[in-house]
Amino acid sequence: MKSALIEKFQTIFGRAPEILARAPGRIEFIGNHTDYNGGSVLGAAIDRGVWVALARRDDGQRRLASDRRGQIITVPAARILKLSGAKRWANYPLGVLAAFPSFGLREPAGFDYLAMSDLPAGAGLSSSAAIELSSALAFAEAAGEQPSREVLVQAARHAENHFVGVPCGVLDQGVSGFGKNDHLVFIDCRGPRFELVPLPPGAHFWIFNTHTKHALVDGFYAARHRECLEAAQALGVALLVDVSPAVLAANAGRLPPLAAKRARHIVEEIARVAATVAALRDGNLVAVGKLLTASHRSSQHLFENSTPELDFLVDALVAAPHIFGARLTGGGFGGAVMSLASGKFDEAAAEPVAAAYAEKFGARPEILHLQTGDGAALHQP
Ligand code: GLA
């Protein structure tokens, strides 16, 4: 990947890059929609991601290219504006540039920039966080800045929230920034505070991507966000993280039924994240798997962000041998299911699941066997 990146940069811009950065995609392990409720979440950085190559320019011009789009986008130094159509991908790096001043970081004046990805698009593995983090690292290096990892993560999230316009929590950028091979990233999202939790040996991730996406997915995400904040307010707190399961049980009657369901999902999911950390520390993958599947059931019935396709895959996977547990991963309303499997689960074991899914829904899911990987880093050109 690295040599292909350098070669492509040379072809497009006629010179060698000075700076290389890479950031991984992520799997949401457990903690569904807990992040913007101030709760905790566990994620894994994976062995696929986005590379960025950059070389400075003296004329103040910013020229951006990606391996997936032919065209070079030229942005004048004066003002950063949001792009649309085929140029939309560039809103991620441009959003990071636009975020820099808010974090006291200088922007690089001019540059040639190339992004290259080996993350499958639309699989819910957060290619957006990967391009934001790799861009943030490369831009900071080009401007002679040395921000902390926390600041890089916050600048990347700022880009997503305020420039791209998605009201996401800190999960995606936090995991891409702080990930480590053979570890999960635990995030206490209120700080936010980041901590690594070792992944017990023999744990494998299998992703089944449905390639389905609800047409209104962004609207649904924002609606859940709003419902959670309203439920918190009705319970007299700013964020649902401040409601314990016991307090919720005693006060649920004060909430409209829908708000009570949403709140119960969040409050119990935060407790499941804590239980998962304890089970991981014990090396008990069977207990971890049960928590993952319980998380899915809660998304399915209480948070109502699952779909028939995702439910079908979870049912088929938990009935298959060598699977500890399975759940939807990411925002929901389509996307992918993640399963935690032992090393004995393989392509042959995945096949009946894919075949049964294809029979019911008319298309095979995309299957990915992923490893954990390291978080965002600069690399030698
Ligand atoms: C998306 C968002 C995250 C998080 C998850 C749901 O992936 O980007 O911030 O809210 O959904 O847990």
Side-chain angles (χ1 to χ4, degrees), residues 68-374:
R68 296 195 179 164
R69 305 270 173 193
Q71 180 190 23
I72 297 180
I73 300 171
T74 303
V75 180
R79 208 163 139 228
I80 301 172
L81 294 173
K82 203 166 159 179
L83 303 173
S84 55
K87 296 179 177 174
R88 258 194 3 226
W89 71 268
N91 286 330
Y92 297 102
L94 292 178
V96 169
L97 270 185
F100 263 31
S102 310
F103 294 85
L105 299 172
R106 279 165 297 164
E107 307 158 49
F111 53 79
D112 290 334
Y113 164 110
L114 172 66
M116 191 178 254
S117 169
D118 63 357
L119 268 174
L125 298 172
S126 223
S127 49
S128 55
I131 189 171
E132 285 157 3
L133 259 298
S134 47
S135 300
L137 266 176
F139 292 149
E141 180 72 6
E145 298 278 8
Q146 288 177 325
S148 69
R149 207 152 274 269
E150 277 82 358
V151 167
L152 281 173
V153 165
Q154 294 294 5
R157 180 182 169 198
H158 192 278
E160 186 85 40
N161 290 168
H162 301 289
F163 196 83
V164 179
V166 179
C168 68
V170 73
L171 162 69
D172 307 341
Q173 292 79 18
V175 173
S176 182
F178 281 86
K180 187 166 177 221
N181 199 16
D182 293 331
H183 287 73
L184 296 173
V185 183
F186 170 86
I187 310 177
D188 174 347
C189 301
R190 193 146 44 169
R193 186 175 60 81
F194 305 90
E195 201 180 301
L196 290 170
V197 179
L199 186 64
H204 291 253
F205 298 117
W206 286 80
I207 300 283
F208 288 72
N209 180 14
T210 66
H211 282 295
T212 59
K213 188 177 169 188
H214 202 291
L216 301 174
V217 60
D218 293 343
F220 279 133
Y221 186 89
R224 288 297 178 278
H225 196 157
R226 201 181 50 244
E227 288 163 7
C228 288
L229 295 182
E230 284 169 3
Q233 208 172 28
L235 292 165
V237 294
L239 294 170
L240 285 174
V241 66
D242 286 325
V243 180
S244 67
V247 167
L248 182 62
N251 291 280
R254 285 170 44 202
L255 296 176
L258 195 73
K261 277 165 86 172
R262 306 294 188 249
R264 191 173 147 211
H265 167 77
I266 298 299
V267 167
E268 292 181 354
E269 184 78 348
I270 293 171
R272 269 189 292 272
V273 173
T276 305
V277 172
L280 286 165
R281 298 226 189 263
D282 288 346
N284 187 345
L285 290 176
V286 172
V288 171
K290 290 207 171 96
L291 289 157
L292 299 181
T293 307
S295 162
H296 183 80
R297 297 303 174 209
S298 179
S299 293
Q300 182 177 355
H301 301 299
L302 297 176
F303 211 64
E304 296 177 290
N305 60 334
S306 187
T307 61
E309 287 87 349
L310 297 170
D311 295 340
F312 182 90
L313 283 171
V314 169
D315 292 344
L317 282 161
V318 295
H322 316 304
I323 295 287
F324 296 116
R327 59 183 292 276
L328 68 83
T329 179
F333 307 108
V337 161
M338 176 217 64
S339 53
L340 182 70
S342 80
K344 291 195 188 134
F345 191 82
D346 58 7
E347 308 287 342
E351 180 49 38
V353 175
Y357 181 92
E359 163 118 21
K360 180 151 171 81
F361 295 105
R364 283 176 66 86
E366 176 188 17
I367 303 176
L368 299 159
H369 180 195
L370 297 174
Q371 318 294 328
T372 55
D374 285 327

Side-chain angles (χ1 to χ4, degrees), residues 26 28 31-33 35-36 168-169 171-172 221 330-331:
R26 65 98 188 93
E28 176 192 288
N32 196 236
H33 288 253
D35 58 0
Y36 57 78
C168 68
L171 162 69
D172 307 341
Y221 186 89

